[in-house]
């Protein structure tokens, strides 16, 4: 289940980025790195021959992308705003207008984010034969930018756009140009950033924004991601279950596992009696199932692990 060609990026030299500003803003407080815990994680990785890794929003906060649930710094802790629901987006042209206006403003910054040292470490594990498969719940394409190929994007990718009527796929960058052409004099300053390329705008700012439709059939457009309230494609779910069956260990990186679409694979791994390690700042839904739990920054500890 590799990424669609619409979400493939040109190879280039990438420098590990977990900018200190972004880290301070979006990474929750955590204890200093414990060398004994590093050794425990090293043992866990060394013993695995077919390592499955599942990542969540916590791996990308050090690249400057906020998450929903982190204590004190996540969207839920900072505001009373909640993410868009699938049913609302599909039913309401007004809600789609608001979504795309906000996404249009947020896209230049969101699309410019780069992988940090944690993404690059996992990519290197794959190249060296340690990482068997990578499943990400993120829609930011940072694993692809880091060079990961053995990858399933469980919730899709913001860099693709899908027509709700005919299914035509379009690169998100192409849509940005169309929005610009439709709104040559429209401008809005964001009042804050949210996960997944969203920003905060007032209703007055949004109401004059013109929304592009499908260039092929004129239908409404939606980012090729799973919104809250929607379900993951059954074929993709079956594919990931097969990866779980063939793995011999599971490492969770940067996820509280509160969303069932990811959590159910942890349950499947536990039922298969796979050893499970969790690297996440703060408690997760599966701490009691893990043989190892670490509360450190992903980009701080993963580069220290040698993928023997």
């Amino acid at each position: 289940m590799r990424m669609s060609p619409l979400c493939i990026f040109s190879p280039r030299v990438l420098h590990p980025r977990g900018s200190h500003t972004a880290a301070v803003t979006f990474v929750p407080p955590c204890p200093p790195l414990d060398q004994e815990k590093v050794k425990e994680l090293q043992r866990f990785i060394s013993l695995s021959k077919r390592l499955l890794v599942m990542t969540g929003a916590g791996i990308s906060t050090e690249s400057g992308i906020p998450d929903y649930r982190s204590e004190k710094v996540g969207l839920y802790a900072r505001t009373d705003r909640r993410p868009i629901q699938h049913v609302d987006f599909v039913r309401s042209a007004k809600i789609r207008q608001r979504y795309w206006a906000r996404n249009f403003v947020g896209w230049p910054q969101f699309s410019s984010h780069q992988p940090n040292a944690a993404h690059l470490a996992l990519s290197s594990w794959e190249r060296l034969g340690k990482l068997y498969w990578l499943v990400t719940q993120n829609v930011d394409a940072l694993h692809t930018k880091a060079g990961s190929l053995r990858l399933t994007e469980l919730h899709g990718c913001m860099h693709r756009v899908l027509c709700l009527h005919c299914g035509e796929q379009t690169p998100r960058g192409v849509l940005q140009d169309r929005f610009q052409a439709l709104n040559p004099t429209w401008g809005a300053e964001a009042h804050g950033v949210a996960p997944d390329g969203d920003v905060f705008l007032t209703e007055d700012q949004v109401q004059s924004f013109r929304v592009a439709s499908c260039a092929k059939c004129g239908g409404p457009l939606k980012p090729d991601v799973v919104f809250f309230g929607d379900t993951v494609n059954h074929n993709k779910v079956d594919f990931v279950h097969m990866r779980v069956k063939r793995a011999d260990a599971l490492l969770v990186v940067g996820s509280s596992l509160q969303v069932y679409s990811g959590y159910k694979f942890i349950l499947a791994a536990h039922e298969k009696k796979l050893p499970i390690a969790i690297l996440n700042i703060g408690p997760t839904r599966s701490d009691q199932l893990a043989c190892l739990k670490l509360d450190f920054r992903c980009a701080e500890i993963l580069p220290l692990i040698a993928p023997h």
Side-chain angles (χ1 to χ4, degrees):
M1 184 70 68
R2 293 190 180 183
M3 185 176 292
S4 159
L6 288 172
C7 209
I8 295 296
F9 297 86
S10 301
R12 53 187 170 137
V13 177
L14 291 167
H15 302 284
R17 267 183 43 176
S19 95
H20 295 298
T21 301
V24 169
T25 305
F26 299 126
V27 181
C30 66
L33 200 59
D34 182 336
Q35 291 303 318
E36 287 304 311
K37 289 291 187 180
V38 175
K39 292 177 183 177
E40 289 183 46
L41 180 58
Q42 179 67 71
R43 283 194 293 270
F44 179 90
I45 299 301
S46 296
L47 290 171
S48 174
K49 303 301 181 186
R50 295 177 70 82
L51 178 67
L52 177 68
V53 177
M54 174 176 284
T55 66
I59 195 174
S60 294
T61 54
E62 290 173 80
S63 289
I65 300 176
D67 67 2
Y68 289 105
R69 296 179 178 85
S70 285
E71 184 179 357
K72 298 182 180 179
V73 294
L75 179 73
Y76 296 164
R78 291 184 289 117
T79 77
D80 59 359
R81 297 173 184 262
R82 293 297 180 263
I84 192 167
Q85 297 292 311
H86 175 79
V87 66
D88 295 333
F89 184 93
V90 171
R91 287 179 179 175
S92 171
K94 189 81 173 174
I95 288 178
R96 290 196 295 273
Q97 179 192 40
R98 183 177 66 194
Y99 175 86
W100 281 121
R102 290 160 53 153
N103 191 266
F104 172 73
V105 174
W107 179 252
Q109 179 178 351
F110 181 78
S111 61
S112 71
H113 288 298
Q114 296 299 321
N116 60 54
H119 298 98
L120 297 176
L122 294 179
S123 178
S124 72
W125 293 6
E126 178 188 317
R127 291 195 304 274
L128 294 170
K130 169 56 66 177
L131 189 149
Y132 162 59
W133 204 264
L134 173 60
V135 179
T136 185
Q137 301 170 86
N138 300 338
V139 297
D140 52 32
L142 292 189
H143 285 300
T144 298
K145 288 183 178 181
S148 292
L149 297 174
R150 300 178 65 83
L151 169 69
T152 296
E153 295 169 312
L154 193 62
H155 297 149
C157 179
M158 288 292 297
H159 289 253
R160 296 187 299 268
V161 178
L162 185 70
C163 174
L164 290 173
H165 286 178
C166 72
E168 179 77 1
Q169 282 193 357
T170 307
R172 177 61 182 81
V174 171
L175 183 60
Q176 188 75 0
D177 293 338
R178 293 186 60 204
F179 281 145
Q180 189 69 60
L182 282 171
N183 300 276
T185 62
W186 186 89
E189 183 177 345
H191 302 288
V193 296
D196 303 336
D198 193 15
V199 299
F200 303 147
L201 299 177
T202 66
E203 290 302 319
D204 287 342
Q205 289 174 305
V206 167
Q207 63 184 357
S208 62
F209 184 78
R210 297 181 64 194
V211 179
S213 57
C214 176
K216 182 177 181 181
C217 76
L221 298 175
K222 172 185 172 295
D224 190 12
V225 300
V226 179
F227 282 145
F228 282 76
D230 195 8
T231 56
V232 178
N233 176 276
H234 291 303
N235 291 335
K236 188 178 289 189
V237 171
D238 291 343
F239 182 89
V240 176
H241 272 301
M242 188 60 65
R243 302 282 79 74
V244 173
K245 288 180 180 178
R246 294 178 179 175
D248 66 1
L250 172 62
L251 172 64
V252 177
V253 178
S255 177
S256 63
L257 301 169
Q258 292 301 314
V259 178
Y260 186 74
S261 58
Y263 173 62
K264 64 185 173 187
F265 298 116
I266 312 305
L267 296 178
H270 178 67
E271 184 176 342
K272 189 176 179 284
K273 296 181 168 52
L274 295 185
I276 299 170
I278 299 176
L279 169 59
N280 186 70
I281 301 174
T284 81
R285 196 174 180 179
S286 298
D287 286 356
Q288 75 281 4
L289 305 181
C291 63
L292 177 61
K293 172 63 166 59
L294 306 104
D295 287 79
F296 306 112
R297 293 184 179 185
C298 305
E300 187 175 20
I301 189 171
L302 291 185
L304 301 179
I305 304 302
H308 298 311

